[in-house]
Amino acid sequence: MNATQIQLVQNSFAQLIPSGEASFETFFGEIFYQRLFDLQPHFKQMFQGDMVKQSQKLLDMLRSIVQNLERPDVQGIEELGAKHKTEYKVKNTDYNAVGEALIWTLEATMGEDFTPELREAWIAAYRLLAQTMKPA
């Protein structure tokens, strides 16, 4: 990722999901998980708990990663990848559906503001995340 892409992702995330906006976090999470389950119905088995809490976890994780794109917490991201692999049985191929669901959700919630340049920046950010998580 280059500096321009990092800035685009950080600015768009801050505008899209202001800190403490629990209702929007839940809304974003609902859209994301519905899209993910549409793409991969078997993923529903991984999410048996409270989906409101799961949505908050998703946004907390995204917020942390986005805020630290200049200096990613590689060890923390690797640990997250290891946890997903051991606890949730996530396979490397599963990251494709998650990335597709994330980009689709961003586009659905941002509308016209989700420009091709912003789309490419988010894809680069997700690629960085997934490439760091997969080897764990």
Side-chain angles (χ1 to χ4, degrees):
M1 284 191 82
N2 63 44
T4 301
Q5 289 176 317
I6 290 170
Q7 196 64 49
L8 281 169
V9 169
Q10 289 175 333
N11 290 344
S12 67
F13 190 79
Q15 290 173 351
L16 178 66
I17 305 172
S19 183
E21 289 286 332
S23 62
F24 189 81
E25 290 179 2
T26 301
F27 172 72
F28 186 89
E30 287 174 359
I31 293 172
F32 170 81
Y33 286 109
Q34 184 58 55
R35 180 62 179 166
L36 183 62
F37 299 154
D38 288 346
L39 293 169
Q40 297 290 335
H42 70 278
F43 282 5
K44 283 185 182 182
Q45 299 168 356
M46 294 182 203
F47 301 95
Q48 298 299 317
D50 182 343
M51 290 307 290
V52 171
K53 287 182 182 177
Q54 184 60 41
S55 294
Q56 291 169 339
K57 286 180 185 180
L58 169 70
L59 271 293
D60 287 346
M61 180 205 54
L62 281 174
R63 186 174 288 111
S64 176
I65 290 166
V66 166
Q67 289 173 346
N68 295 300
L69 281 173
E70 292 98 348
R71 291 182 163 189
D73 175 9
V74 174
Q75 182 179 353
I77 295 170
E78 287 173 343
E79 288 171 4
L80 184 64
K83 180 178 180 179
H84 278 76
K85 186 174 187 175
T86 58
E87 289 185 30
Y88 308 115
K89 309 301 182 220
V90 172
K91 300 179 203 87
N92 284 350
T93 56
D94 294 336
Y95 286 91
N96 296 335
V98 173
E100 185 177 334
L102 175 63
I103 299 304
W104 186 92
T105 303
L106 289 164
E107 187 170 17
T109 54
M110 295 181 74
E112 294 176 1
D113 293 335
F114 199 65
T115 64
E117 183 181 33
L118 184 55
R119 177 186 185 82
E120 288 305 312
W122 271 100
I123 289 171
Y126 181 74
R127 189 176 300 127
L128 175 66
L129 172 66
Q131 288 173 347
T132 306
M133 288 178 73
K134 284 179 183 181

